[in-house]
Amino acid sequence: MKRIKVGVIGAGRIGKVHIENISVRIPTVEIVAVADTFVEEAKKVAEKFAIKSFMASYKEILSNREVAAVIICSPTNTHAQYIIESAQAGKHIFCEKPLDLSLEKIRTVLDIVAKAGVKLMVGFNRRFDPNFAKVQQIVRDGKIGIPHVLKITSRDPEPPPAEYVAASGGMFLDMTIHDFDMARFVMGTEVSEVYAKANVLINSAIGKAGDVDTAVTTLFFENGAIGTIDNSRKAVYGYDQRIEVFGSEGMVMIGNNTPDNHIYYNANGLHGPLPLHFFMDRYTESYAIEIQAFINAIMNDEDLPVTGKDGLMSVAIGLAAKKSAFENRPVKLSEIL
Amino acid sequence: MKRIKVGVIGAGRIGKVHIENISVRIPTVEIVAVADTFVEEAKKVAEKFAIKSFMASYKEILSNREVAAVIICSPTNTHAQYIIESAQAGKHIFCEKPLDLSLEKIRTVLDIVAKAGVKLMVGFNRRFDPNFAKVQQIVRDGKIGIPHVLKITSRDPEPPPAEYVAASGGMFLDMTIHDFDMARFVMGTEVSEVYAKANVLINSAIGKAGDVDTAVTTLFFENGAIGTIDNSRKAVYGYDQRIEVFGSEGMVMIGNNTPDNHIYYNANGLHGPLPLHFFMDRYTESYAIEIQAFINAIMNDEDLPVTGKDGLMSVAIGLAAKKSAFENRPVKLSEIL
Amino acid sequence: MKRIKVGVIGAGRIGKVHIENISVRIPTVEIVAVADTFVEEAKKVAEKFAIKSFMASYKEILSNREVAAVIICSPTNTHAQYIIESAQAGKHIFCEKPLDLSLEKIRTVLDIVAKAGVKLMVGFNRRFDPNFAKVQQIVRDGKIGIPHVLKITSRDPEPPPAEYVAASGGMFLDMTIHDFDMARFVMGTEVSEVYAKANVLINSAIGKAGDVDTAVTTLFFENGAIGTIDNSRKAVYGYDQRIEVFGSEGMVMIGNNTPDNHIYYNANGLHGPLPLHFFMDRYTESYAIEIQAFINAIMNDEDLPVTGKDGLMSVAIGLAAKKSAFENRPVKLSEIL
Amino acid sequence: MKRIKVGVIGAGRIGKVHIENISVRIPTVEIVAVADTFVEEAKKVAEKFAIKSFMASYKEILSNREVAAVIICSPTNTHAQYIIESAQAGKHIFCEKPLDLSLEKIRTVLDIVAKAGVKLMVGFNRRFDPNFAKVQQIVRDGKIGIPHVLKITSRDPEPPPAEYVAASGGMFLDMTIHDFDMARFVMGTEVSEVYAKANVLINSAIGKAGDVDTAVTTLFFENGAIGTIDNSRKAVYGYDQRIEVFGSEGMVMIGNNTPDNHIYYNANGLHGPLPLHFFMDRYTESYAIEIQAFINAIMNDEDLPVTGKDGLMSVAIGLAAKKSAFENRPVKLSEIL
């Protein structure tokens, strides 16, 4: 069996997810090294999955000649630097979203990647969720005709700590960015204008940190379709992730997944299960399919399913939304890009 | 049994609905006269429901001393005039929506009604639909905590004729006006700002008539909550009327009604019924409950469940939405009112 | 408009349902007389619906020459006699189920009806329920291929009083009889053998009255298909009426109706409405469609949708089930018929 | 980390499932040997999961002193012999269902296991499916009160080959046996009597092999509750596995799992996904939880969640059902046991 060797940079929560999925599900890949500045974390995961080396510095991975590809799972503010160095070292790259919060820096990164001739995939895992993928497939197959209206509901079960909020770039770039990518993915057309109305309704500490916790965003697409995304940082009933696309010939929608599908009736009514609580439960499968898709593209030298441009555009829409919410007016993408 | 005598002005489609509901379901009411400029229509319905008199002119009803209340089902451009004359004749009034398309005229009407001391109810029938009423009840009972986000989907099965569009005041005042009223009804707070993004995606004739057929409207409420309404004039799968209210302690949603609830499986998948096709099927029950509520309030001298102010506000929001869509900017209600 | 005159015998609960449906929905029918041994009941309903005569004795209706058809809603033990006299008086007959509890008497009745050349319809209203009718239509249209398995769940919200039980003929002839008719209706083939397992689990008074309150009945059909019916006299969550037909090419199922379709989420789970509480709520529409179907068949001289044979067969299956439960062995219909 | 060493006997489909689940998910277990008479199969799986030895004969596993437990996944007719020898070798045992088709042999096996003082778990994996487990939990917690009626629907997507049927012991012992175990599991009481009505409706070759392909089985429980199981060997829409328990205080039901939860509307209706096609898709998770439960019980010296008695009882009910179908009469378990 042909095998490919990869290194993982960052052994935090999401790094561990990728390491486990690769180890358990992708026999064609060998993880040869894992790096984390918290070297104890790297050691732990290396031992658990029989990875032969671990280290504090990602540079050791980049200088390892047998490593064909790197999986970047480090904090956002390191992404640009690590991608650039990885590209220059001739490695294919999988990088968690967002590439960066600055469009200028992202453009620089993409240029360097292009010149290096390596592949770069951005970790928009939801595209690989069987539910979202099904929506996109039905739209792409023309089953709803021409898309007219997009609806995305995206609510977290609980807000992040205020300190996280401060460094995250704000809700639009941290949370809604997934929805912006999903919007482009399922509609198959670009966003041309954004209007975001946002507020602090859940936690005033979030407001003090300069962020919002509740928002409704209108997207206007190049083909004339209109979208709406509603976000909340706190749905007491759990992670609420739904999407609907309405078109000239039909409509498709998907809902949440639940731990089981029981329905219980008693004298007070019908009762059923809550949605899976958060993204690690809901999107478990999507992470596995995502990393497999990256490996497949590398091994077969095929186009990647999520590109650097996707990483750029989602940040651009996020910045437009932020500006729109701040200035309370519609903002054209052309103002941002 | 105490009985009340009413007259009906306008024997078109909706007039007939009210006449049948009253005749069949409300034994405490006697319809004593029906007026329509197409007197043949008045005659037909009078005979069918054993109404003792019919005539071409509404004035005969207003001068009839035994008539305690009138049901106004004539075209929109007659509403203001008929309400004014009815109030001056001392009749209680049920009037179909909208009261008028001019806020100034509506204000004049409401002043005259107030001075006359009669009751005026506006025909927002959806408030009486068991599904919508249940949503409002759950929100009002505090079961979802403080409302944060409102979502309304409202799609017609087919666009009206272009000539109708021209006279209707446009989609926001003709179709979305129901959703604006519903937004105020379920949220229990006033709208303070509107942003509407609209387009012509279904029928270019609608665009030529100066109207739109697809829209997404953002509502900002006085309590800080945010709403989104998506409208389309043509859902090929039928009348699509759904609502969801999300709050600090939960969420409530309602969906469409169907003619039956069968589920059919074959080798190709699961298949089920379409929503009831249009408003006369979906809202059948709501019309009956609505007119009963009007009668009850009259007979018991109680507050009306839908007031003249409700009629005013829904038009104001509609005008703000229209202005917003035209100028592509958020419009505060204070600019309109 | 051609009109037909009918008389109603029995002004109890179900009689009132038929009277209201005819009065309100069927303009081609005039109810000219209503008879009830409790003449006050007859008087009340006559006044409410402007029926010109009421009386204590059904004989006055039968001797009324202008009456073309009678609706028999009196107690079961009067059905046979009233049908016979009605037939001999040349009236068409609608009779509530069951025709009688004795097969011999039913056969006599059917013979007399046949000789008199009048039409006789038995009130199996559920056949006209939009849900059940849809199942039958899908099966009849061949969409599930050849039917192999039938499942009926039929549970009442609360047991009848013990004194009612004693006179009812027992659960199989009082309650399950509807399911037996439904089985024949949707499967389009006859039952050849029955096995019923029953018990008293809800109320020992029912057991003392010689009846059961919980049962599972297996039906074997002439075409080789197998069915199962589960019954309970007490479902605390309301009237539970579901059916499923499985065949060589697919499956169709229907569920309960609810007063609304809201879904409410809070931190404890998903919550929804209970089924409509009992048959007067769930089958409201079916009663109206049923009596219309009777009138249509009379006026157009067409075949009736539910015949005397249907009345006979459902009792036969009920008697077989009773015998089977008593003797704990499968009972062939040929032992009964 | 404390680790336990196990050997696997039988490297066919289900053996591979257990090997993968243990290797990937249970770090506390090391599979040290895999045996299969088709030694190539043993070799393949041993290499894939880095198992250090493989062999043709199970005896090598039993004589391996470091092996604490064996997983028996060989054909049914070898189960009894392998369990006996494993017990005598002092190994704990996990064995696929059924233990054997002869009650006498099963009794002998259980006696020897008891004397040997080892643990024996039977592979009724469905007990560990999150849906079925939820039903059992709700019943056990008393949320439906006292169970009165059990309904199980269990349909395969396609019949097995006729040659398989011949050796399988027939549908009741091969397919329904899972439902019999589920009945005991969720009801928490024993079956005392069985009536099975069966037929050949799908494939006459199955009939020629002396088996049936469609059945409805009535179960009578010691506490007076009644159950019904309907089986088909061919549901064109996929694997149909549902259960419902109805009791004095409520009802709980679970349905099928689907690959995604999309709903698609077009002008012809609503459309959704089919159930997961067969048991390897539907019960994937249950196999992993099951084997983990076995390992946990061994490592912590706790009671097993599925015992030898469970293996005995399900076969006994299966034999009673077979006898009942053959003789067309209810059969008491006491006739069999």
Side-chain angles (χ1 to χ4, degrees):
Chain A
M1 190 177 359
K2 195 184 150 196
R3 295 188 89 200
I4 182 176
K5 290 180 170 134
V6 308
V8 176
I9 302 173
R13 184 167 58 173
I14 192 66
K16 289 198 183 86
V17 167
H18 291 310
I19 288 169
E20 176 169 341
N21 279 323
I22 291 172
S23 302
V24 159
R25 300 217 205 184
I26 318 187
T28 57
V29 174
E30 183 188 357
I31 304 174
V32 294
V34 54
D36 198 300
T37 49
F38 296 95
V39 73
E40 272 309 307
E41 288 301 306
K43 186 183 174 196
K44 249 195 294 182
V45 72
E47 282 175 356
K48 181 166 177 190
F49 290 102
I51 296 167
K52 60 189 180 192
S53 64
F54 59 89
M55 62 277 301
S57 168
Y58 70 99
K59 285 187 186 281
E60 281 186 56
I61 288 178
L62 299 190
S63 61
N64 182 337
R65 291 205 156 193
E66 60 175 7
V67 168
V70 295
I71 319 279
I72 300 175
C73 307
S74 51
T76 296
N77 61 6
T78 66
H79 287 176
Q81 183 61 27
Y82 290 3
I83 295 173
I84 289 171
E85 293 188 38
S86 300
Q88 287 167 339
K91 315 297 190 198
H92 296 301
I93 304 150
F94 175 94
C95 184
E96 276 304 316
K97 64 97 213 170
L99 289 176
D100 195 87
L101 299 179
S102 146
L103 285 182
E104 202 186 346
K105 227 193 242 179
I106 294 175
R107 282 212 188 82
T108 305
V109 164
L110 298 190
D111 281 351
I112 290 167
V113 166
K115 274 173 205 147
V118 297
K119 290 179 193 292
L120 168 63
M121 175 162 155
V122 183
F124 282 118
N125 62 292
R126 292 185 197 174
R127 291 188 179 208
F128 304 93
D129 174 76
N131 283 318
F132 287 104
K134 187 73 184 182
V135 169
Q136 193 262 354
Q137 184 198 321
I138 283 174
V139 174
R140 191 189 61 207
D141 290 353
K143 284 181 148 182
I144 66 155
I146 299 163
H148 288 178
V149 176
L150 167 73
K151 282 169 59 185
I152 295 178
T153 286
S154 175
R155 298 168 187 157
D156 283 355
E158 51 225 12
E163 59 269 30
Y164 173 91
V165 165
S168 71
M171 191 171 76
F172 293 111
L173 285 160
D174 176 56
M175 176 180 172
T176 323
I177 193 170
H178 275 294
D179 307 312
F180 295 143
D181 183 66
M182 189 49 58
R184 295 177 61 248
F185 176 58
V186 298
M187 296 294 276
T189 181
E190 294 294 345
V191 170
S192 61
E193 191 183 296
V194 179
Y195 174 76
K197 190 77 190 178
N199 212 344
V200 180
L201 296 174
I202 293 158
N203 185 352
S204 60
I206 290 175
K208 277 170 202 150
D211 200 5
V212 294
D213 56 29
T214 304
V216 168
T217 305
T218 303
L219 302 177
F220 196 61
F221 293 91
E222 289 185 352
N223 74 347
I226 314 173
T228 177
I229 300 169
D230 69 279
N231 294 118
S232 170
R233 281 291 197 182
K234 187 176 179 189
V236 295
Y237 54 89
Y239 201 40
D240 193 352
Q241 301 274 301
R242 289 171 285 150
I243 191 168
E244 175 178 329
V245 191
F246 168 83
S248 57
E249 303 299 333
M251 184 262 277
V252 59
M253 64 204 302
I254 56 109
N256 293 302
N257 291 343
T258 50
D260 61 71
N261 62 37
H262 86 274
I263 298 173
Y264 165 58
Y265 283 89
N266 63 10
N268 299 321
L270 167 162
H271 313 278
L274 289 176
L276 291 171
H277 189 66
F278 210 173
F279 67 99
M280 295 301 275
D281 306 302
R282 161 68 183 264
Y283 292 123
T284 310
E285 189 66 14
S286 76
Y287 286 114
I289 302 174
E290 173 191 56
I291 206 74
Q292 179 77 65
F294 172 66
I295 297 299
N296 288 352
I298 298 293
M299 294 190 76
N300 304 326
D301 195 17
E302 291 172 349
D303 284 349
L304 288 162
V306 197
T307 65
K309 190 196 169 191
D310 293 324
L312 176 77
M313 287 306 297
S314 53
V315 173
I317 302 171
L319 291 168
K322 212 168 161 177
K323 190 179 184 68
S324 170
F326 191 74
E327 303 179 7
N328 196 28
R329 65 171 182 89
V331 171
K332 286 198 190 310
L333 262 280
S334 55
E335 295 183 49
I336 302 291
L337 282 168
Chain B
M1 190 175 3
K2 193 184 150 197
R3 295 187 89 200
I4 181 176
K5 289 181 169 134
V6 308
V8 176
I9 302 173
R13 185 167 57 174
I14 192 65
K16 290 198 180 85
V17 166
H18 291 309
I19 289 169
E20 176 169 343
N21 278 324
I22 292 171
S23 302
V24 158
R25 301 215 203 185
I26 317 185
T28 56
V29 174
E30 182 188 359
I31 304 174
V32 295
V34 53
D36 198 299
T37 48
F38 296 94
V39 73
E40 273 307 308
E41 288 301 305
K43 185 183 175 196
K44 249 195 293 182
V45 73
E47 283 175 356
K48 180 166 178 191
F49 291 101
I51 296 167
K52 60 188 180 193
S53 65
F54 60 90
M55 61 279 301
S57 169
Y58 70 98
K59 287 186 184 282
E60 282 187 54
I61 288 177
L62 300 189
S63 61
N64 182 336
R65 292 204 155 196
E66 61 176 7
V67 168
V70 295
I71 318 279
I72 302 176
C73 308
S74 52
T76 296
N77 62 5
T78 67
H79 288 174
Q81 183 60 28
Y82 291 3
I83 295 171
I84 289 169
E85 292 188 37
S86 299
Q88 288 168 340
K91 314 297 188 198
H92 297 301
I93 304 151
F94 175 94
C95 183
E96 277 303 317
K97 63 95 215 171
L99 289 175
D100 194 86
L101 299 179
S102 147
L103 286 183
E104 203 187 344
K105 227 192 241 181
I106 294 175
R107 282 211 189 80
T108 307
V109 164
L110 299 190
D111 281 351
I112 290 168
V113 167
K115 273 172 206 147
V118 296
K119 291 180 193 290
L120 167 64
M121 174 162 158
V122 183
F124 282 117
N125 62 294
R126 292 184 197 176
R127 293 188 178 208
F128 303 93
D129 173 74
N131 282 318
F132 287 104
K134 186 74 185 180
V135 169
Q136 194 262 354
Q137 183 199 322
I138 283 174
V139 174
R140 192 190 60 208
D141 290 353
K143 286 181 148 183
I144 65 155
I146 300 163
H148 288 177
V149 177
L150 167 72
K151 282 167 61 185
I152 295 178
T153 287
S154 176
R155 299 167 187 156
D156 283 355
E158 52 225 12
E163 59 269 31
Y164 173 90
V165 165
S168 70
M171 191 171 76
F172 293 110
L173 285 160
D174 176 55
M175 176 180 172
T176 322
I177 194 169
H178 275 292
D179 306 313
F180 295 143
D181 182 66
M182 189 50 57
R184 295 178 62 248
F185 176 58
V186 297
M187 296 295 276
T189 181
E190 293 294 344
V191 170
S192 62
E193 190 184 298
V194 178
Y195 174 76
K197 190 77 191 178
N199 211 344
V200 180
L201 296 174
I202 292 157
N203 186 352
S204 59
I206 290 175
K208 276 171 203 151
D211 199 4
V212 295
D213 56 30
T214 304
V216 168
T217 304
T218 302
L219 301 178
F220 196 61
F221 293 91
E222 289 185 352
N223 73 347
I226 315 173
T228 176
I229 300 168
D230 70 278
N231 294 118
S232 169
R233 281 292 198 182
K234 187 177 178 188
V236 295
Y237 54 90
Y239 201 40
D240 193 353
Q241 300 276 300
R242 288 171 285 151
I243 191 168
E244 174 178 330
V245 191
F246 168 82
S248 58
E249 302 300 333
M251 185 261 278
V252 60
M253 63 203 303
I254 57 108
N256 293 302
N257 291 343
T258 50
D260 60 73
N261 62 37
H262 86 275
I263 297 175
Y264 165 58
Y265 284 90
N266 63 9
N268 300 321
L270 168 163
H271 313 278
L274 289 176
L276 291 171
H277 190 65
F278 210 172
F279 67 97
M280 296 300 275
D281 307 303
R282 161 69 183 263
Y283 292 122
T284 310
E285 190 65 15
S286 76
Y287 286 114
I289 301 173
E290 173 190 57
I291 207 73
Q292 179 76 66
F294 172 67
I295 297 298
N296 288 352
I298 298 292
M299 293 190 75
N300 304 326
D301 195 18
E302 292 172 349
D303 284 349
L304 288 162
V306 197
T307 66
K309 190 195 169 192
D310 294 323
L312 176 77
M313 288 305 297
S314 54
V315 173
I317 302 171
L319 291 169
K322 211 169 162 178
K323 189 178 184 70
S324 170
F326 190 74
E327 302 179 7
N328 196 30
R329 65 171 183 89
V331 170
K332 286 199 191 309
L333 261 281
S334 55
E335 294 184 50
I336 301 293
L337 281 168
Chain C
M1 190 177 356
K2 192 186 152 197
R3 295 187 90 200
I4 180 176
K5 289 180 171 138
V6 309
V8 176
I9 300 173
R13 185 166 58 172
I14 193 64
K16 290 197 180 87
V17 167
H18 291 309
I19 289 169
E20 176 169 344
N21 279 323
I22 291 172
S23 301
V24 158
R25 301 214 202 185
I26 317 187
T28 55
V29 173
E30 184 187 357
I31 304 174
V32 294
V34 54
D36 198 301
T37 49
F38 296 94
V39 72
E40 272 309 307
E41 287 302 304
K43 185 182 176 196
K44 249 195 291 181
V45 72
E47 281 175 357
K48 181 166 176 191
F49 292 101
I51 296 167
K52 61 188 177 193
S53 65
F54 60 90
M55 62 278 303
S57 168
Y58 70 97
K59 287 186 185 281
E60 282 188 53
I61 289 178
L62 300 189
S63 62
N64 182 338
R65 292 202 157 197
E66 61 176 6
V67 168
V70 295
I71 319 279
I72 300 176
C73 308
S74 50
T76 296
N77 60 7
T78 66
H79 288 176
Q81 181 63 26
Y82 291 3
I83 294 172
I84 289 170
E85 292 188 36
S86 300
Q88 287 167 341
K91 315 299 188 194
H92 295 300
I93 304 151
F94 175 95
C95 184
E96 277 303 317
K97 64 96 212 169
L99 289 176
D100 195 87
L101 299 180
S102 145
L103 286 182
E104 202 186 344
K105 227 192 240 181
I106 294 175
R107 282 212 187 84
T108 305
V109 164
L110 297 190
D111 281 351
I112 290 167
V113 166
K115 275 173 205 147
V118 297
K119 290 179 193 288
L120 167 64
M121 175 162 156
V122 183
F124 283 117
N125 63 293
R126 293 186 196 173
R127 293 189 178 207
F128 304 93
D129 173 75
N131 283 317
F132 288 103
K134 187 73 183 182
V135 169
Q136 194 263 353
Q137 184 198 321
I138 282 174
V139 174
R140 192 190 58 208
D141 290 353
K143 286 181 149 184
I144 64 156
I146 299 163
H148 288 178
V149 178
L150 166 73
K151 282 169 60 186
I152 295 178
T153 286
S154 175
R155 299 168 187 156
D156 283 355
E158 53 225 11
E163 59 269 29
Y164 173 90
V165 165
S168 70
M171 191 171 76
F172 293 110
L173 286 161
D174 176 56
M175 176 182 173
T176 322
I177 193 169
H178 275 293
D179 307 311
F180 295 143
D181 184 64
M182 189 50 58
R184 294 178 63 247
F185 176 58
V186 299
M187 296 295 275
T189 181
E190 293 294 345
V191 170
S192 62
E193 190 182 298
V194 178
Y195 174 76
K197 190 77 189 178
N199 211 345
V200 180
L201 296 174
I202 294 157
N203 186 351
S204 58
I206 290 174
K208 277 171 203 150
D211 200 5
V212 294
D213 55 31
T214 304
V216 168
T217 305
T218 302
L219 301 178
F220 196 61
F221 293 91
E222 288 185 351
N223 74 347
I226 315 173
T228 176
I229 301 169
D230 69 277
N231 295 118
S232 170
R233 280 291 197 184
K234 186 176 179 189
V236 294
Y237 54 89
Y239 201 40
D240 193 351
Q241 299 276 301
R242 289 171 285 149
I243 192 168
E244 173 179 332
V245 191
F246 168 82
S248 57
E249 303 299 332
M251 185 262 278
V252 59
M253 63 202 303
I254 57 109
N256 293 302
N257 291 344
T258 52
D260 60 71
N261 61 39
H262 86 275
I263 298 174
Y264 165 58
Y265 284 91
N266 63 9
N268 299 321
L270 167 163
H271 313 279
L274 289 176
L276 291 171
H277 189 65
F278 211 173
F279 68 98
M280 295 300 275
D281 306 302
R282 161 69 183 265
Y283 292 122
T284 310
E285 190 66 14
S286 75
Y287 287 114
I289 301 173
E290 172 191 56
I291 206 72
Q292 180 75 66
F294 172 67
I295 297 299
N296 288 352
I298 298 290
M299 294 190 75
N300 304 325
D301 195 17
E302 290 171 350
D303 284 349
L304 288 163
V306 197
T307 65
K309 190 196 170 192
D310 293 323
L312 175 77
M313 287 305 296
S314 52
V315 173
I317 302 172
L319 291 169
K322 212 169 162 177
K323 189 178 185 68
S324 170
F326 191 73
E327 302 178 7
N328 195 30
R329 64 171 183 91
V331 171
K332 288 202 190 309
L333 262 281
S334 55
E335 296 184 47
I336 301 294
L337 282 168
Chain D
M1 189 178 356
K2 193 185 149 197
R3 296 188 88 200
I4 181 177
K5 288 180 171 136
V6 308
V8 176
I9 301 173
R13 186 166 58 173
I14 192 65
K16 290 198 181 85
V17 167
H18 291 309
I19 289 169
E20 176 169 342
N21 279 323
I22 291 172
S23 302
V24 157
R25 303 215 202 183
I26 316 186
T28 55
V29 174
E30 182 188 357
I31 304 174
V32 294
V34 53
D36 198 300
T37 49
F38 296 94
V39 73
E40 272 308 306
E41 286 302 305
K43 185 183 176 195
K44 251 195 292 181
V45 74
E47 283 175 355
K48 182 167 176 190
F49 291 102
I51 296 167
K52 60 188 179 193
S53 65
F54 60 90
M55 62 277 302
S57 169
Y58 70 98
K59 287 186 184 282
E60 284 187 52
I61 289 178
L62 299 190
S63 60
N64 183 337
R65 292 202 157 197
E66 60 175 9
V67 168
V70 295
I71 319 280
I72 300 176
C73 306
S74 50
T76 296
N77 61 6
T78 66
H79 288 176
Q81 182 62 25
Y82 292 2
I83 295 172
I84 289 171
E85 293 187 35
S86 300
Q88 288 168 339
K91 315 298 189 197
H92 296 303
I93 303 151
F94 175 95
C95 183
E96 278 302 318
K97 65 95 212 168
L99 290 176
D100 196 85
L101 299 181
S102 146
L103 285 182
E104 202 188 343
K105 229 193 240 180
I106 295 175
R107 282 212 187 83
T108 305
V109 164
L110 299 189
D111 280 352
I112 291 167
V113 166
K115 275 171 205 148
V118 297
K119 290 179 192 289
L120 167 64
M121 173 162 157
V122 183
F124 282 118
N125 63 294
R126 292 186 196 172
R127 292 190 177 205
F128 303 93
D129 173 75
N131 283 318
F132 287 104
K134 187 73 185 181
V135 169
Q136 194 264 353
Q137 184 198 321
I138 283 174
V139 174
R140 192 190 57 209
D141 290 354
K143 287 181 148 184
I144 65 156
I146 299 164
H148 287 179
V149 177
L150 166 73
K151 282 168 59 185
I152 295 179
T153 287
S154 176
R155 298 167 187 157
D156 284 355
E158 50 225 15
E163 58 268 29
Y164 173 91
V165 165
S168 70
M171 191 171 77
F172 293 110
L173 285 161
D174 176 55
M175 176 181 173
T176 322
I177 194 169
H178 275 293
D179 308 311
F180 295 143
D181 183 65
M182 188 51 57
R184 294 178 63 248
F185 176 58
V186 299
M187 296 295 276
T189 181
E190 295 294 345
V191 170
S192 61
E193 189 183 299
V194 179
Y195 174 75
K197 190 76 189 180
N199 211 345
V200 180
L201 296 174
I202 292 157
N203 186 351
S204 59
I206 290 174
K208 277 171 202 149
D211 199 4
V212 294
D213 55 31
T214 303
V216 168
T217 305
T218 302
L219 301 177
F220 197 60
F221 293 91
E222 288 185 352
N223 73 347
I226 315 173
T228 176
I229 300 169
D230 69 279
N231 294 118
S232 170
R233 281 288 197 184
K234 187 177 179 188
V236 295
Y237 54 89
Y239 200 41
D240 193 351
Q241 299 276 301
R242 289 172 284 150
I243 192 168
E244 174 178 330
V245 191
F246 168 83
S248 58
E249 302 300 332
M251 184 263 279
V252 59
M253 63 204 302
I254 56 109
N256 293 301
N257 290 343
T258 51
D260 60 73
N261 62 38
H262 86 275
I263 298 174
Y264 164 59
Y265 283 91
N266 64 9
N268 299 322
L270 167 163
H271 312 280
L274 289 176
L276 291 171
H277 189 64
F278 210 172
F279 67 98
M280 295 301 275
D281 307 303
R282 162 68 183 267
Y283 292 122
T284 310
E285 190 66 14
S286 75
Y287 286 115
I289 301 172
E290 172 192 55
I291 206 73
Q292 179 76 67
F294 172 67
I295 298 298
N296 289 351
I298 298 291
M299 294 190 76
N300 305 325
D301 195 17
E302 291 172 351
D303 283 349
L304 289 163
V306 197
T307 65
K309 190 197 169 191
D310 293 323
L312 175 78
M313 288 305 297
S314 53
V315 173
I317 302 172
L319 291 170
K322 214 169 160 176
K323 189 178 184 68
S324 170
F326 191 73
E327 302 179 6
N328 196 31
R329 64 171 182 91
V331 171
K332 287 200 191 310
L333 262 281
S334 54
E335 296 183 47
I336 301 292
L337 282 167

